[in-house]
Amino acid sequence: MQRSLIAALVALTFASAGITHAGEFSITPVRLDLASSARSQLLSVTNLGSTPARFMVRAAGWTVNEGGGVDLVPDDSLLVFPASFTIPPKGTQNVRAGTDLAPADVERTWRIVLEELPDPNPTAQQGTTINVLSQLSVPVFMAPRQVHRELKLGPPAVDGNQARILVANTGNVHALVTAVSLTALREQQVLAEGRKEGWYLLPGSQRTYAITGTAAWCTSGVNRFELRAFDRDGQQLAQQALDAREVCR
């Protein structure tokens, strides 16, 4: 099922400046999957607003930084067409993305970056006006020849009610790690717990999750810890149980 991604524009507040907002738009699908038998796909951009919308489109490689944000890197192996266009109100523009590359041992990843451009003929308004534009990117994946999924959860480093857990993707495809949880237990009794939201973890990458507990992690009576990583549907991706003596040193 295709899902629309509605571009939510940032609302700014200035005491002496007027604010105008670029129109809303939707993108379907919210990700593209390429394969050896389908090395190109279409992305549809629909202008939901009442004025024309102009866009510039490019492709890039990407990594996920420690803060969970996207860092774009140059990569010309994915082509997009057209590279710029104007969509009339309620209109739709298709963008084709494709590559000549074949599946490799490790998943290939790109992003299609869409940047909204300012109106070349803005309407004159009294006073200072700031026009807030949008930039969105859509992930593109090409599965490897053989898929191997594996996540490793490192032992937590704890200090009071703070914990840091290293999660490494040692597989060859991305993992959508939407949450990592830590629980301190005495037998089956929960003494402290915490959870940290996450995002994409690309193959060969790792990220440290800082988790705040409801109490000190190494509180009296703790005898074991449970670490878990979950996907967006709440399904468990990885789990590890640790003796408290390995953590509370």
Side-chain angles (χ1 to χ4, degrees), residues 156-191:
V158 301
D159 183 8
N161 71 334
Q162 301 298 310
R164 295 175 62 82
I165 300 175
L166 182 67
V167 181
N169 184 353
T170 54
N172 66 352
V173 292
H174 74 276
L176 188 50
V177 182
T178 57
V180 174
S181 71
L182 177 63
T183 306
L185 301 110
R186 177 173 56 212
E187 303 307 333
Q188 299 301 316
Q189 180 185 2
V190 175
L191 301 183

Side-chain angles (χ1 to χ4, degrees), residues 26 63 70 78 84 104 106 114 121 125 127 157 184 199 208 212 219 241 244 246:
S26 69
T63 60
V70 171
L78 182 73
S84 63
V106 177
L114 297 100
N121 301 302
Q125 298 188 28
W199 203 44
T208 300
T212 300
T219 190
E246 301 179 55

